[in-house]
Amino acid sequence: MYRPLNFATFVLAATSLAGAFPAHRSLAGLSNEELAVILPRLEVAPPENPPGPLNDTSAKLVNDADHPWKPAAPNDMRGPCPGLNTLASHGYLPRNGIATPAQIINAVQEGFNMDNTFAKFVTYAAFLVDGNPITNLLSIGGKSSLTGEDPPNPAIVGGLDTHAVFEGDTSMTRADAFFGDNHSFNQTLWDEFADFSNRFGAGKYNMTVAAELRFQRIQDSIATNPTFSFISPRYFTAYAESTFPIKFFKDGRQTDGQLDLDVALGFFRDSKYPDDFFRPNGPQGTDGIEELAIAHPIAPGANNGTLNSYTPDPNSADFTTLCKLYTDFVNLTIKGLYPSPTGVLRDALNRNLGFFYEFIAGPDCPQVFPYGQ
Ligand code: HEM
Ligand SMILES: *[C@@H]1O[C@H](CO)[C@@H](O)[C@H](O)[C@H]1NC(C)=O
Ligand SMILES: *[C@@H]1O[C@H](CO)[C@@H](O)[C@H](O)[C@H]1NC(C)=O
Ligand SMILES: *[C@@H]1O[C@H](CO)[C@@H](O)[C@H](O)[C@H]1NC(C)=O
Ligand SMILES: *[C@@H]1O[C@H](CO)[C@@H](O)[C@H](O)[C@H]1NC(C)=O
Ligand SMILES: *[C@@H]1O[C@H](CO)[C@@H](O)[C@H](O)[C@H]1NC(C)=O
Ligand SMILES: CC(=O)N[C@H]1CO[C@H](CO)[C@@H](O)[C@@H]1O
């Protein structure tokens, strides 16, 4: 029987969106035509208010009987963040690796004592670029069973694995996307992490090691990745993440700032707390980030398509223009991914943009409204 090919059917067939559109799959970058087809098929879950701070922020046992480690099942999502991977593998997050922003904030607070405003900033940044504002779900990566599909099936590779909006180059234990796999633990890079900890930290990872390794990883990318990009927001997250192992992976009863390598490896490779692990004592925020940048100053920039061609980019925010980190992320990155949202999508984006703003809110950095108020 002849059936006219309507526009919606055409879009679905033509864009590999045919069949089920997974509820966690990001809507970022889809055209209005695609959104018009997909949105009616999704169950709307309105944004929840973000959780407040913990009442009790003391160090305490978090690898407890209620949160046993279990290996990821083949369809569970895992990605580039060893913190979120660990929370999922211990059941602080849904073990399938698909979570709401509120679940992520609760988990990073409960499981790692991440500071409330910082947790909101990071979570809503990631959610706005890599999550689904309609279903209120974010995937922490792709399926743990890599299928090697080429081109990658976005139902399998997605969420936080998405390159260049949050995930980026010059990670400590994950390779640059240029080399193919941007999110799995990489043994070669781990060996460099261990080598630097031996050379600069007498066998431990500490802030001295963090500064040297951060600089070395940038040099590695300049020399080996022609597409290397080190502009905002990656410029900031790379320095921030270099401080995370010391803040979050060190046992909360320890006060010396020296992280054991076998403990670090358990988090980075196995998404696993050590036995008897206590979370940090007191909320952990942004301390130490600039200290790493100052140790080896380097301006935001990029290679120009060839190796060893690092060129500073004066348009990128840096540590002297923190409000620009926020305004560019909203006005350029998010607006670029969602140029003209309407209806329930616009409302959801606006709510989440409001939560994202809370971290930086103040008279020196007024809120920006790319979609009106
Ligand atoms: C609050 C929500 C969080 C989100 C959305 C998030 C997301 C991410 C993403 C997307 C990356 C990859 C960046 C890249 O290397 O390209 C990353 C890296 C990282 N995250 Fe998280 N993260 C969060 C919280 C945490 C917490 C609580 C910890 C520690 C317990 C943590 C530890 C790390 C570390 C150490 C890296 C660097 C990995 C490396 O360079 O090898 N993150 N995170
Ligand atoms: C913190 O304490 C307040 C007031 O006692 C209570 O309403 C709230 O539920 C507590 N929050 C958590 C996360 O336990
Ligand atoms: C691991 O990282 C190195 C250095 O970036 C890269 O050359 C290599 O291809 C990566 N290995 C895998 C299996 O991705
Ligand atoms: C890191 O460890 C090395 C070797 O023990 C030590 O010289 C250095 O002061 C430590 N740095 C910090 C910040 O603890
Ligand atoms: C890239 O930078 C290199 C080294 O700075 C320079 O020689 C080359 O002309 C540049 N290429 C382009 C396409 O801009
Ligand atoms: C951001 O975009 C809004 C509207 O699109 C505009 O009014 C505002 O001036 C922009 N702000 C900055 C700092 O670019
Ligand atoms: C943009 C990009 O290179 N993303 C890659 C991240 O890693 C997955 C899994 O290896 C690749 O399929 C993606 O292409």
Side-chain angles (χ1 to χ4, degrees):
M1 195 187 80
Y2 170 72
R3 288 208 346 241
L5 187 66
N6 70 23
F7 185 67
T9 317
F10 168 75
V11 169
L12 276 177
T15 60
S16 83
L17 299 170
F21 185 91
H24 63 265
R25 195 181 146 188
S26 175
L27 300 173
L30 297 178
S31 69
N32 280 344
E33 288 77 10
E34 289 167 324
L35 289 169
V37 175
I38 292 158
L39 292 194
R41 301 164 147 235
L42 296 177
E43 206 173 304
V44 179
E48 329 119 291
N49 285 325
L54 294 175
N55 289 333
D56 172 7
T57 61
S58 59
K60 69 166 190 184
L61 181 70
V62 284
N63 191 3
D64 60 14
D66 291 341
H67 299 93
W69 183 83
K70 291 182 192 166
N75 287 342
D76 290 347
M77 306 293 175
R78 294 293 183 271
C81 176
L84 298 180
N85 289 348
T86 298
L87 292 166
S89 290
H90 280 273
Y92 280 96
L93 283 173
R95 290 181 186 268
N96 68 2
I98 297 169
T100 69
Q103 285 175 321
I104 292 175
I105 293 163
N106 278 324
V108 298
Q109 292 188 160
E110 186 62 25
F112 283 114
N113 227 337
M114 194 177 212
D115 166 73
N116 179 251
T117 49
F118 190 36
K120 284 192 285 194
F121 187 68
V122 180
T123 300
Y124 287 106
F127 179 67
L128 279 158
V129 296
D130 289 338
N132 186 320
I134 296 293
T135 59
N136 202 36
L137 294 172
L138 170 71
S139 167
I140 67 171
K143 285 195 184 183
S144 66
S145 56
L146 289 176
T147 61
E149 281 181 64
D150 187 24
N153 176 348
I156 294 172
V157 174
L160 292 185
D161 288 353
T162 310
H163 183 59
V165 283
F166 195 116
E167 188 283 326
D169 292 334
T170 187
S171 307
M172 293 178 287
T173 66
R174 270 68 177 164
D176 291 2
F178 173 77
F179 298 106
D181 182 342
N182 50 32
H183 61 269
S184 302
F185 173 81
N186 178 307
Q187 183 67 45
T188 310
L189 295 178
W190 170 258
D191 292 344
E192 190 177 33
F193 187 104
D195 177 46
F196 270 63
S197 300
N198 288 327
R199 280 162 57 194
F200 296 101
K204 313 273 183 173
Y205 183 81
N206 66 22
M207 282 294 280
T208 308
V209 178
E212 297 308 318
L213 180 63
R214 170 73 356 261
F215 185 63
Q216 180 61 44
R217 290 293 300 128
I218 295 166
Q219 301 309 311
D220 291 346
S221 290
I222 291 173
T224 61
N225 175 1
T227 68
F228 175 47
S229 174
F230 194 51
I231 58 173
S232 178
R234 183 58 186 149
Y235 185 71
F236 296 95
T237 59
Y239 288 109
E241 288 156 14
S242 289
T243 71
F244 284 5
I246 301 161
K247 286 174 182 148
F248 297 115
F249 295 164
K250 193 172 48 57
D251 190 281
R253 291 161 294 186
Q254 211 183 315
T255 53
D256 62 359
Q258 317 294 315
L259 174 64
D260 282 335
L261 288 185
D262 55 351
V263 171
L265 182 61
F267 285 107
F268 278 111
R269 186 188 62 193
D270 305 329
S271 308
K272 197 174 190 177
Y273 284 129
D275 291 343
D276 189 40
F277 184 75
F278 276 45
R279 72 179 186 195
N281 189 21
Q284 305 293 310
T286 56
D287 291 356
I289 298 177
E290 269 194 85
E291 184 186 327
L292 297 187
I294 289 164
H296 289 289
I298 176 160
N303 274 350
N304 67 11
T306 59
L307 298 180
N308 297 309
S309 60
Y310 192 78
T311 312
D313 179 352
N315 292 320
S316 169
D318 64 18
F319 286 100
T320 66
T321 52
L322 285 176
C323 184
K324 187 171 160 58
L325 160 64
Y326 160 73
T327 55
D328 281 356
F329 194 73
V330 173
N331 268 4
L332 303 179
T333 306
I334 296 169
K335 186 103 196 299
L337 294 169
Y338 292 101
S340 52
T342 58
V344 65
L345 177 59
R346 174 180 172 276
D347 293 345
L349 287 168
N350 275 342
R351 287 284 306 282
N352 286 294
L353 283 166
F355 302 146
F356 175 60
Y357 173 65
E358 287 176 25
F359 173 81
I360 197 114
D364 297 338
C365 192
Q367 188 171 359
V368 293
F369 297 96
Y371 311 123
Q373 299 199 38

